[in-house]
Amino acid sequence: VERNESMEADAVFIACPPRLTIEKISFQPSLDERMINAMKSCRTWMAQQGKFIAVYGSAFWRKNRQRKLYWERVSVDGPLDMIFDNNDRIIWGFLSNEERWR
């Protein structure tokens, strides 16, 4: 959806932090005041952490591994912090929040 574009739906699944949702999305009819206050006060867990998803043609990283990647520390001094093996072709993880890697 482009900026200032409208959409209409019976139900919506929003995959972003509640505080960002309430700041960036306008709801018509307006949300209940208690809901708005709760969303504004909701702490955004790992907000400073970058996230990534990589999709490949095959799970080449499993070739010589006995198990899936799960909470694997990629580097103690690099831009990738942790990676996870999601399925046959996808890995995802967290990027370092150190300023030098931004």
PDB file of all heavy atoms in Angstrom, residues 48-50 78-82 94-102:
ATOM      1  N   GLN A  48      15.808  -2.203  18.276  1.00  0.00           N
ATOM      2  CA  GLN A  48      17.096  -1.736  17.763  1.00  0.00           C
ATOM      3  C   GLN A  48      17.807  -2.784  16.913  1.00  0.00           C
ATOM      4  O   GLN A  48      18.771  -2.487  16.232  1.00  0.00           O
ATOM      5  CB  GLN A  48      18.002  -1.323  18.925  1.00  0.00           C
ATOM      6  CG  GLN A  48      18.628  -2.475  19.692  1.00  0.00           C
ATOM      7  CD  GLN A  48      17.687  -3.223  20.625  1.00  0.00           C
ATOM      8  OE1 GLN A  48      16.519  -2.901  20.739  1.00  0.00           O
ATOM      9  NE2 GLN A  48      18.197  -4.228  21.300  1.00  0.00           N
ATOM     10  N   GLN A  49      17.325  -4.002  16.925  1.00  0.00           N
ATOM     11  CA  GLN A  49      17.977  -5.111  16.224  1.00  0.00           C
ATOM     12  C   GLN A  49      17.486  -5.203  14.788  1.00  0.00           C
ATOM     13  O   GLN A  49      16.297  -5.218  14.544  1.00  0.00           O
ATOM     14  CB  GLN A  49      17.649  -6.416  16.950  1.00  0.00           C
ATOM     15  CG  GLN A  49      18.600  -7.535  16.687  1.00  0.00           C
ATOM     16  CD  GLN A  49      19.894  -7.380  17.457  1.00  0.00           C
ATOM     17  OE1 GLN A  49      19.932  -6.809  18.518  1.00  0.00           O
ATOM     18  NE2 GLN A  49      20.967  -7.887  16.898  1.00  0.00           N
ATOM     19  N   GLY A  50      18.409  -5.287  13.829  1.00  0.00           N
ATOM     20  CA  GLY A  50      18.031  -5.500  12.439  1.00  0.00           C
ATOM     21  C   GLY A  50      17.649  -6.956  12.222  1.00  0.00           C
ATOM     22  O   GLY A  50      18.191  -7.849  12.879  1.00  0.00           O
ATOM     23  N   GLY A  78      31.053  -9.312  13.816  1.00  0.00           N
ATOM     24  CA  GLY A  78      30.618  -9.077  12.444  1.00  0.00           C
ATOM     25  C   GLY A  78      29.183  -8.607  12.403  1.00  0.00           C
ATOM     26  O   GLY A  78      28.534  -8.497  13.436  1.00  0.00           O
ATOM     27  N   PRO A  79      28.668  -8.335  11.212  1.00  0.00           N
ATOM     28  CA  PRO A  79      27.313  -7.780  11.107  1.00  0.00           C
ATOM     29  C   PRO A  79      26.191  -8.768  11.383  1.00  0.00           C
ATOM     30  O   PRO A  79      25.090  -8.362  11.708  1.00  0.00           O
ATOM     31  CB  PRO A  79      27.258  -7.280   9.663  1.00  0.00           C
ATOM     32  CG  PRO A  79      28.268  -8.096   8.942  1.00  0.00           C
ATOM     33  CD  PRO A  79      29.355  -8.398   9.943  1.00  0.00           C
ATOM     34  N   LEU A  80      26.423 -10.074  11.265  1.00  0.00           N
ATOM     35  CA  LEU A  80      25.383 -11.056  11.557  1.00  0.00           C
ATOM     36  C   LEU A  80      25.557 -11.571  12.983  1.00  0.00           C
ATOM     37  O   LEU A  80      26.617 -12.051  13.343  1.00  0.00           O
ATOM     38  CB  LEU A  80      25.449 -12.241  10.592  1.00  0.00           C
ATOM     39  CG  LEU A  80      25.114 -11.963   9.134  1.00  0.00           C
ATOM     40  CD1 LEU A  80      25.279 -13.240   8.322  1.00  0.00           C
ATOM     41  CD2 LEU A  80      23.716 -11.421   9.000  1.00  0.00           C
ATOM     42  N   ASP A  81      24.506 -11.491  13.770  1.00  0.00           N
ATOM     43  CA  ASP A  81      24.569 -11.988  15.147  1.00  0.00           C
ATOM     44  C   ASP A  81      24.126 -13.441  15.238  1.00  0.00           C
ATOM     45  O   ASP A  81      24.874 -14.296  15.652  1.00  0.00           O
ATOM     46  CB  ASP A  81      23.692 -11.144  16.072  1.00  0.00           C
ATOM     47  CG  ASP A  81      24.431  -9.955  16.653  1.00  0.00           C
ATOM     48  OD1 ASP A  81      25.662  -9.906  16.544  1.00  0.00           O
ATOM     49  OD2 ASP A  81      23.759  -9.082  17.219  1.00  0.00           O
ATOM     50  N   MET A  82      22.883 -13.698  14.890  1.00  0.00           N
ATOM     51  CA  MET A  82      22.304 -15.037  15.009  1.00  0.00           C
ATOM     52  C   MET A  82      21.564 -15.392  13.731  1.00  0.00           C
ATOM     53  O   MET A  82      20.979 -14.524  13.091  1.00  0.00           O
ATOM     54  CB  MET A  82      21.285 -15.091  16.150  1.00  0.00           C
ATOM     55  CG  MET A  82      21.834 -14.813  17.494  1.00  0.00           C
ATOM     56  SD  MET A  82      22.628 -16.292  18.097  1.00  0.00           S
ATOM     57  CE  MET A  82      23.009 -15.788  19.738  1.00  0.00           C
ATOM     58  N   PHE A  94      19.225 -12.165  12.995  1.00  0.00           N
ATOM     59  CA  PHE A  94      19.375 -10.823  13.530  1.00  0.00           C
ATOM     60  C   PHE A  94      20.725 -10.249  13.130  1.00  0.00           C
ATOM     61  O   PHE A  94      21.743 -10.940  13.167  1.00  0.00           O
ATOM     62  CB  PHE A  94      19.270 -10.857  15.053  1.00  0.00           C
ATOM     63  CG  PHE A  94      17.950 -11.382  15.536  1.00  0.00           C
ATOM     64  CD1 PHE A  94      17.865 -12.633  16.111  1.00  0.00           C
ATOM     65  CD2 PHE A  94      16.799 -10.634  15.402  1.00  0.00           C
ATOM     66  CE1 PHE A  94      16.646 -13.131  16.550  1.00  0.00           C
ATOM     67  CE2 PHE A  94      15.574 -11.123  15.833  1.00  0.00           C
ATOM     68  CZ  PHE A  94      15.507 -12.375  16.412  1.00  0.00           C
ATOM     69  N   LEU A  95      20.683  -8.983  12.762  1.00  0.00           N
ATOM     70  CA  LEU A  95      21.900  -8.259  12.422  1.00  0.00           C
ATOM     71  C   LEU A  95      22.390  -7.532  13.662  1.00  0.00           C
ATOM     72  O   LEU A  95      21.606  -7.151  14.530  1.00  0.00           O
ATOM     73  CB  LEU A  95      21.614  -7.252  11.312  1.00  0.00           C
ATOM     74  CG  LEU A  95      21.029  -7.843  10.035  1.00  0.00           C
ATOM     75  CD1 LEU A  95      20.534  -6.730   9.122  1.00  0.00           C
ATOM     76  CD2 LEU A  95      22.060  -8.697   9.335  1.00  0.00           C
ATOM     77  N   SER A  96      23.688  -7.309  13.731  1.00  0.00           N
ATOM     78  CA  SER A  96      24.264  -6.597  14.861  1.00  0.00           C
ATOM     79  C   SER A  96      23.671  -5.203  14.970  1.00  0.00           C
ATOM     80  O   SER A  96      23.416  -4.543  13.966  1.00  0.00           O
ATOM     81  CB  SER A  96      25.782  -6.482  14.675  1.00  0.00           C
ATOM     82  OG  SER A  96      26.335  -5.674  15.687  1.00  0.00           O
ATOM     83  N   ASN A  97      23.458  -4.751  16.194  1.00  0.00           N
ATOM     84  CA  ASN A  97      22.967  -3.389  16.372  1.00  0.00           C
ATOM     85  C   ASN A  97      24.102  -2.422  16.683  1.00  0.00           C
ATOM     86  O   ASN A  97      23.867  -1.279  17.034  1.00  0.00           O
ATOM     87  CB  ASN A  97      21.878  -3.327  17.449  1.00  0.00           C
ATOM     88  CG  ASN A  97      22.377  -3.726  18.811  1.00  0.00           C
ATOM     89  OD1 ASN A  97      23.523  -4.119  18.967  1.00  0.00           O
ATOM     90  ND2 ASN A  97      21.530  -3.624  19.809  1.00  0.00           N
ATOM     91  N   GLU A  98      25.332  -2.881  16.520  1.00  0.00           N
ATOM     92  CA  GLU A  98      26.476  -1.989  16.715  1.00  0.00           C
ATOM     93  C   GLU A  98      26.488  -0.939  15.616  1.00  0.00           C
ATOM     94  O   GLU A  98      26.286  -1.247  14.447  1.00  0.00           O
ATOM     95  CB  GLU A  98      27.783  -2.774  16.706  1.00  0.00           C
ATOM     96  CG  GLU A  98      27.955  -3.661  17.916  1.00  0.00           C
ATOM     97  CD  GLU A  98      29.316  -4.338  17.913  1.00  0.00           C
ATOM     98  OE1 GLU A  98      30.305  -3.681  17.508  1.00  0.00           O
ATOM     99  OE2 GLU A  98      29.379  -5.505  18.304  1.00  0.00           O
ATOM    100  N   GLU A  99      26.767   0.289  15.992  1.00  0.00           N
ATOM    101  CA  GLU A  99      26.718   1.410  15.050  1.00  0.00           C
ATOM    102  C   GLU A  99      27.629   1.193  13.838  1.00  0.00           C
ATOM    103  O   GLU A  99      27.291   1.528  12.722  1.00  0.00           O
ATOM    104  CB  GLU A  99      27.102   2.702  15.758  1.00  0.00           C
ATOM    105  CG  GLU A  99      26.893   3.914  14.900  1.00  0.00           C
ATOM    106  CD  GLU A  99      27.060   5.211  15.672  1.00  0.00           C
ATOM    107  OE1 GLU A  99      26.999   5.180  16.906  1.00  0.00           O
ATOM    108  OE2 GLU A  99      27.253   6.223  15.005  1.00  0.00           O
ATOM    109  N   ARG A 100      28.783   0.574  14.028  1.00  0.00           N
ATOM    110  CA  ARG A 100      29.726   0.401  12.915  1.00  0.00           C
ATOM    111  C   ARG A 100      29.187  -0.530  11.833  1.00  0.00           C
ATOM    112  O   ARG A 100      29.680  -0.534  10.714  1.00  0.00           O
ATOM    113  CB  ARG A 100      31.063  -0.106  13.411  1.00  0.00           C
ATOM    114  CG  ARG A 100      30.987  -1.498  14.003  1.00  0.00           C
ATOM    115  CD  ARG A 100      32.320  -1.855  14.638  1.00  0.00           C
ATOM    116  NE  ARG A 100      32.189  -3.090  15.369  1.00  0.00           N
ATOM    117  CZ  ARG A 100      33.038  -4.069  15.255  1.00  0.00           C
ATOM    118  NH1 ARG A 100      34.078  -3.961  14.463  1.00  0.00           N
ATOM    119  NH2 ARG A 100      32.882  -5.164  15.953  1.00  0.00           N
ATOM    120  N   TRP A 101      28.169  -1.343  12.116  1.00  0.00           N
ATOM    121  CA  TRP A 101      27.610  -2.257  11.129  1.00  0.00           C
ATOM    122  C   TRP A 101      26.328  -1.741  10.502  1.00  0.00           C
ATOM    123  O   TRP A 101      25.745  -2.397   9.653  1.00  0.00           O
ATOM    124  CB  TRP A 101      27.358  -3.635  11.743  1.00  0.00           C
ATOM    125  CG  TRP A 101      28.600  -4.298  12.214  1.00  0.00           C
ATOM    126  CD1 TRP A 101      28.897  -4.591  13.505  1.00  0.00           C
ATOM    127  CD2 TRP A 101      29.707  -4.716  11.435  1.00  0.00           C
ATOM    128  NE1 TRP A 101      30.129  -5.184  13.577  1.00  0.00           N
ATOM    129  CE2 TRP A 101      30.665  -5.268  12.303  1.00  0.00           C
ATOM    130  CE3 TRP A 101      30.024  -4.668  10.082  1.00  0.00           C
ATOM    131  CZ2 TRP A 101      31.882  -5.790  11.883  1.00  0.00           C
ATOM    132  CZ3 TRP A 101      31.240  -5.174   9.653  1.00  0.00           C
ATOM    133  CH2 TRP A 101      32.143  -5.725  10.547  1.00  0.00           C
ATOM    134  N   ARG A 102      25.854  -0.590  10.938  1.00  0.00           N
ATOM    135  CA  ARG A 102      24.603  -0.051  10.389  1.00  0.00           C
ATOM    136  C   ARG A 102      24.818   0.558   9.026  1.00  0.00           C
ATOM    137  O   ARG A 102      25.798   1.067   8.658  1.00  0.00           O
ATOM    138  CB  ARG A 102      24.015   0.990  11.314  1.00  0.00           C
ATOM    139  CG  ARG A 102      23.498   0.363  12.580  1.00  0.00           C
ATOM    140  CD  ARG A 102      22.805   1.373  13.440  1.00  0.00           C
ATOM    141  NE  ARG A 102      22.893   0.897  14.799  1.00  0.00           N
ATOM    142  CZ  ARG A 102      22.881   1.664  15.862  1.00  0.00           C
ATOM    143  NH1 ARG A 102      22.775   2.962  15.730  1.00  0.00           N
ATOM    144  NH2 ARG A 102      22.952   1.172  17.049  1.00  0.00           N
TER     145      ARG A 102
END
